[in-house]
Amino acid sequence: MRKIQFFDTTLRDGEQTPGVNFNTKEKIQIALQLEKWGVDVIEAGFPIASPGDFEAVQNIARQVKTMTVTGLARCQKKDIDRAYEALKDAVDPQIHVFLATSDVHMQYKLKMTRDEVLASIKEHVSYARSLFEKVQFSPEDASRTEKGFLLEAVQTAIDAGATIINVPDTVGYSNPTEYGGIFKSLIANIRSEREITFSSHCHDDLGMATANALAAIENGANRVEGAINGIGERAGNTALEEVALALAIRKDFYQCESAIVLNETKRTSELVSRLSGIPVPKNKAIVGDNAYAHESGIHQDGVLKNPETYEIITPTLVGVNQNSLPLGKLSGRHAFNAKLEELGYQLNDADSKEAFKRFKALADKKKQITDKDLVALLADQYREETEKYKLADVQVQYSSNGYQGAIVSIIDEEDETKVASRIGSGSIQAIYNTIDELFQQDPELTEYEIQALTGGEDAQAEVRVTLLDKETNEEYRGIGVDFDVLQASAKAYVQASNHLKQKN
Ligand SMILES: [Zn+2]
């Protein structure tokens, strides 16, 4: 059976989702979970984009054990050098070089002729090959590139030393018949003495990202790129979990296999959703909360008699309902550490000590600490570490007939406590007005969402907010989880305000 390699770009293309910013610790956490999930190649970032991106790629390159680690580079020497520096310690490094080949991109974005583009591919792929054993080349906007020129560009990259050709549907324009056809024709027409791996990279602008990726596989692609939960620029990338399950459930049809550990799927999805702040829609294929819920009487009756009547995927296959024993007040350090390990966390001593302290504080208020509670607790801890201003205290004075008042204190980067007080027509508005005063910012609150993190009467509240910076039109997100709704609301707002302050 043909093996399909999974190439995950959650940390690069996925991070291009508006308002999504992972810090280095979060990126490492996601990388380690992706390794557990069975990903073959991880695109850890775009090393030249920023010092933070470089640091994250370097850290992931050093910590990952089985995955190939790749970094993105434009057709520029400085990009390739920077990627080399970031990746050189990886067990299996790979570089991903790209250059646009469609007429509209060459004419308006690059202002380069076809000959100049071919010359640049030749020069930079050769240069990349002098530093890397594995070079992947992407003709950006390939699906809108004139077919003859696409073949020329790909052949040039192969002649210069690329052994992996990625064919991106950059703007989500293609459809399965057309996209599959591109692979078929490229594979039939390229000349190479070495084996070339073809890779798909699709966007979901027309809702066809997964279908297009599968069409590529049917037509000879042995690698598929995408992001967990389909996050990414605009409508997002191919949701890798959908491809993984399609290949597994319809093995009879695709005749392909992958290294994906299916029962780690739900956990991987939850981690990315938590750290990105992008919730998974309830009806999302494979990982949505309703994906395995049967509502109509006829369906329920059928499933009770034989699950196969209406259920093509069992929830346990993807790791739903696998919540092993929850922790409680009496759980000791040992049980706590064992649980973290089970969840895929590898914490250093200081982090694990701090996490245990937070766990104990939560266990005083909540009877059962579930996996979801723990993931939220660690996400909070990681976020707070990088926050300039930390929330210290919230007080609200409530009146059923008039304005509400709030007093909020924060600790700034010099370890000084600042206090402010404002009113608002509701308690949350009063808190948010006060936080704006402390941050000296005036963003627009464009989204406020609240839900229970888990089931049960003593569930924690999870609040998600999105702030719009009126000057730059950029969005900043925050999530707060707490036993108390007002506290969770304040945490989420402080987190988003910190992002805005640091413009990240
Ligand atoms: Zn993309």
Side-chain angles (χ1 to χ4, degrees):
M1 241 185 228
R2 205 151 56 96
K3 165 149 191 243
I4 304 302
Q5 299 170 17
F6 275 65
F7 175 118
D8 183 279
T9 184
T10 302
L11 300 183
R12 202 276 301 166
D13 213 327
E15 207 199 18
Q16 286 169 224
T17 308
V20 172
N21 289 285
F22 301 118
N23 63 40
T24 297
K25 277 195 175 171
E26 290 168 337
K27 285 185 176 178
I28 293 169
Q29 187 51 46
I30 291 174
L32 294 174
Q33 179 60 32
L34 288 170
E35 189 159 61
K36 245 176 127 187
W37 191 50
V39 161
D40 300 276
V41 188
I42 180 172
E43 185 158 61
F46 192 178
I48 199 151
S50 71
D53 246 41
F54 178 88
E55 182 198 280
V57 175
Q58 190 173 53
N59 271 287
I60 290 168
R62 288 174 178 167
Q63 292 195 39
V64 150
K65 293 179 191 80
T66 59
M67 289 188 292
T68 301
V69 184
T70 190
L72 189 66
R74 291 167 299 186
C75 268
Q76 292 189 17
K77 245 180 138 193
K78 59 175 197 244
D79 284 38
I80 298 167
D81 287 336
R82 198 81 176 129
Y84 175 71
E85 276 307 309
L87 291 165
K88 64 180 180 196
D89 297 334
V91 173
D92 187 26
Q94 184 215 286
I95 191 166
H96 181 189
V97 182
F98 75 99
L99 189 62
T101 49
S102 64
D103 287 333
V104 61
H105 276 236
M106 290 190 293
Q107 190 181 341
Y108 294 100
K109 189 182 83 175
L110 299 175
K111 303 196 193 310
M112 284 167 86
T113 65
R114 286 187 172 191
D115 285 343
E116 285 167 344
V117 164
L118 292 179
S120 178
I121 294 173
K122 186 176 172 194
E123 180 189 344
H124 295 100
V125 171
S126 306
Y127 182 63
R129 183 65 185 81
S130 71
L131 298 171
F132 289 87
E133 190 67 34
K134 291 184 178 172
V135 179
Q136 165 168 324
F137 175 73
S138 288
E140 191 190 359
D141 205 15
S143 54
R144 292 194 301 170
T145 298
E146 189 267 314
K147 300 286 179 295
F149 183 63
L150 180 64
L151 178 62
E152 237 182 301
V154 166
Q155 187 66 56
T156 303
I158 290 173
D159 292 342
T163 53
I164 305 144
I165 298 296
N166 179 49
V167 184
D169 182 24
T170 305
V171 292
Y173 178 74
S174 208
N175 63 60
T177 308
E178 179 186 79
Y179 192 61
I182 296 175
F183 282 83
K184 197 171 194 167
S185 127
L186 282 177
I187 291 169
N189 290 302
I190 52 129
R191 300 174 313 276
S192 172
E193 271 153 24
R194 287 155 306 158
E195 197 185 326
I196 303 298
T197 301
F198 280 85
S199 170
S200 85
H201 178 112
C202 303
H203 281 269
D204 208 30
D205 298 69
L206 292 172
M208 291 192 273
T210 297
N212 285 343
L214 290 165
I217 290 171
E218 277 182 75
N219 284 280
N222 284 333
R223 178 181 277 194
V224 56
E225 296 192 9
I228 300 298
N229 300 334
I231 63 171
E233 194 110 36
R234 307 184 312 277
N237 284 266
T238 299
L240 277 187
E241 69 277 9
E242 293 178 7
V243 179
L245 266 291
L247 291 182
I249 297 295
R250 295 307 312 274
K251 207 176 217 167
D252 62 316
F253 180 83
Y254 291 108
Q255 298 286 319
C256 294
E257 54 189 14
S258 77
I260 296 299
V261 180
L262 296 178
N263 66 13
E264 286 289 332
T265 303
K266 178 74 176 175
R267 190 174 279 164
T268 310
S269 160
E270 277 179 355
L271 182 71
V272 170
S273 166
R274 156 72 40 197
L275 297 182
S276 63
I278 306 287
V280 174
K282 285 206 186 311
N283 64 337
K284 163 84 176 59
I286 317 298
V287 290
D289 280 347
N290 288 352
Y292 307 95
H294 302 279
E295 177 70 19
S296 92
I298 294 172
H299 287 207
Q300 283 176 349
D301 182 55
V303 169
L304 286 174
K305 285 174 177 151
N306 180 349
E308 273 182 38
T309 47
Y310 288 100
E311 202 170 81
I312 62 159
I313 312 167
T314 62
T316 44
L317 180 70
V318 296
V320 173
N321 299 337
Q322 259 190 343
N323 225 345
S324 47
L325 284 178
L327 297 175
K329 201 178 166 150
L330 298 174
S331 306
R333 188 84 193 260
H334 189 74
F336 178 71
N337 284 342
K339 172 62 99 181
L340 288 190
E341 209 161 290
E342 183 195 317
L343 289 174
Y345 288 88
Q346 297 175 10
L347 304 188
N348 62 31
D349 267 0
D351 283 355
S352 134
K353 237 183 182 163
E354 169 67 22
F356 188 65
K357 210 173 88 194
R358 286 167 184 248
F359 161 73
K360 279 291 181 190
L362 180 61
D364 275 340
K365 297 183 199 159
K366 191 171 188 294
K367 227 165 139 189
Q368 293 196 328
I369 311 290
T370 64
D371 292 359
K372 268 193 173 175
D373 289 315
L374 284 176
V375 171
L377 180 145
L378 283 158
D380 253 16
Q381 184 178 328
Y382 283 177
R383 279 286 181 202
E384 278 172 28
E385 261 177 44
T386 57
E387 281 177 359
K388 262 188 149 156
Y389 294 167
K390 296 181 190 353
L391 182 65
D393 189 49
V394 182
Q395 277 182 58
V396 174
Q397 185 148 36
Y398 178 75
S399 148
S400 62
N401 195 9
Y403 284 109
Q404 320 306 327
I407 305 172
V408 178
S409 57
I410 54 169
I411 299 168
D412 70 10
E413 57 227 289
E414 269 104 48
D415 238 8
E416 270 177 45
T417 306
K418 288 184 178 170
V419 187
S421 173
R422 284 288 177 275
I423 54 165
S425 38
S427 302
I428 289 170
Q429 200 187 59
I431 294 171
Y432 287 2
N433 288 343
T434 314
I435 296 172
D436 282 346
E437 171 66 22
L438 288 165
F439 275 81
Q440 291 291 302
Q441 293 178 159
D442 183 27
E444 187 184 326
L445 177 68
T446 54
E447 258 177 295
Y448 175 91
E449 238 181 64
I450 181 164
Q451 59 176 19
L453 183 62
T454 54
E457 264 176 40
D458 64 352
Q460 297 194 84
E462 176 187 66
V463 172
R464 292 169 188 254
V465 299
T466 305
L467 303 186
L468 183 77
D469 182 353
K470 290 176 212 159
E471 283 153 39
T472 61
N473 241 357
E474 298 270 356
E475 287 184 339
Y476 298 90
R477 292 173 202 271
I479 307 181
V481 174
D482 199 272
F483 214 66
D484 183 90
V485 171
L486 296 180
Q487 183 75 15
S489 301
K491 278 186 183 174
Y493 200 84
V494 165
Q495 193 180 94
S497 300
N498 267 298
H499 286 316
L500 198 161
K501 188 118 213 140
Q502 290 159 267
K503 302 277 182 209
N504 71 14

